[in-house]
Amino acid sequence: MAELLSLGKEESAKIRVENIVREDIYVELLEMLELYCELLLARIGLLDKKECDPGLEEAVKTIIYSASHTDLKEMHTVRDLLIHKFGAEFARAAIENDDNVIPEKITKRTAVEAPSQELVSLYLKEIAKAYDVPFSELEAEEAADDEDDDDEDDESNGGGGKPIQLEEPIEDYPEERISTPRKLSA
């Protein structure tokens, strides 16, 4: 990516960064699914019931909902076992997210859509900073920051470039006004 940026091929870099962003989103999804699987493992005794325990409903439905968005055959196996255990109607409700049990962070990561241009731009800015290569959006941002800094400097000294007039220092108190500490009587 840095090489593409240094060659001025920003559009090619943006397209390639989209793949990196998608991969990062996919890894985040897998990490969340791993946590749900760990929860099922920790509470495996609750899976013996005929009905899904309310404490496991989010984990079970999330695995059923999102397993098809992964390439892991183990996730597909777990999904199939959960569907067999709790039935087709339960699985349909999970896949369609009828009762909105699936967290939004999961539904966003399973959505099939291109990453936002803002996110792609943030990735490219970080790459450009890390490898010290030019990137038009980073340069525009730095130029805007420099202008803001100049404006703040102008405002901090009156806005017109005039020096700030300091007040006169406070005069010391005359010595006779300073009282000596009194001894406390016992």
Side-chain angles (χ1 to χ4, degrees):
M1 296 321 132
E3 187 175 328
L4 288 172
L5 288 176
S6 67
L7 294 172
K9 297 181 178 185
E10 291 185 7
E11 288 305 313
S12 295
K14 285 180 182 181
I15 291 168
R16 291 194 180 176
V17 163
E18 283 185 17
N19 288 328
I20 294 171
V21 172
R22 276 194 219 103
E23 185 68 25
D24 285 353
I25 291 170
Y26 180 69
V27 169
E28 289 174 2
L29 173 66
L30 292 179
E31 288 172 350
M32 287 184 252
L33 290 175
E34 179 184 19
L35 291 174
Y36 282 121
C37 288
E38 287 177 9
L39 176 66
L40 291 182
L41 183 59
R43 298 180 183 175
I44 198 147
L46 297 175
L47 291 174
D48 289 337
K49 298 179 182 178
K50 191 165 183 93
E51 298 292 317
C52 184
D53 186 87
L56 293 177
E57 184 178 10
E58 180 181 325
V60 170
K61 285 188 173 182
T62 299
I63 289 170
I64 292 171
Y65 174 86
S66 56
S68 61
H69 297 277
T70 69
D71 297 331
L72 301 174
K73 63 181 179 180
E74 294 84 359
M75 284 304 302
H76 293 261
T77 303
V78 171
R79 175 183 187 241
D80 293 344
L81 289 170
L82 292 172
I83 290 172
H84 179 73
K85 172 71 180 158
F86 296 112
E89 186 61 30
F90 183 87
R92 186 204 55 76
I95 292 168
E96 294 176 4
N97 197 17
D98 287 343
D99 46 4
N100 292 320
V101 172
I102 313 301
E104 186 178 345
K105 62 186 176 185
I106 297 289
T107 58
K108 283 184 176 182
R109 283 168 178 79
T110 57
V112 181
E113 58 187 36
S116 72
Q117 289 305 311
E118 294 171 15
L119 189 56
V120 170
S121 179
L122 285 172
Y123 269 68
L124 285 172
K125 286 177 187 176
E126 289 303 314
I127 291 169
K129 285 179 189 175
Y131 292 95
D132 196 28
V133 293
F135 178 51
S136 62
E137 292 180 34
L138 179 62
E139 291 167 359
E141 184 179 281
E142 288 174 351
D145 287 345
D146 288 345
E147 286 178 21
D148 289 345
D149 289 345
D150 291 344
D151 290 346
E152 288 175 13
D153 290 344
D154 290 345
E155 289 172 11
S156 67
N157 64 11
K162 300 175 188 173
I164 298 172
Q165 183 65 33
L166 298 175
E167 295 179 1
E168 293 294 319
I170 299 174
E171 293 182 26
D172 291 336
Y173 286 103
E175 285 187 33
E176 64 263 4
R177 291 191 63 195
I178 299 175
S179 59
T180 55
R182 291 182 276 163
K183 287 188 175 180
L184 296 174
S185 56

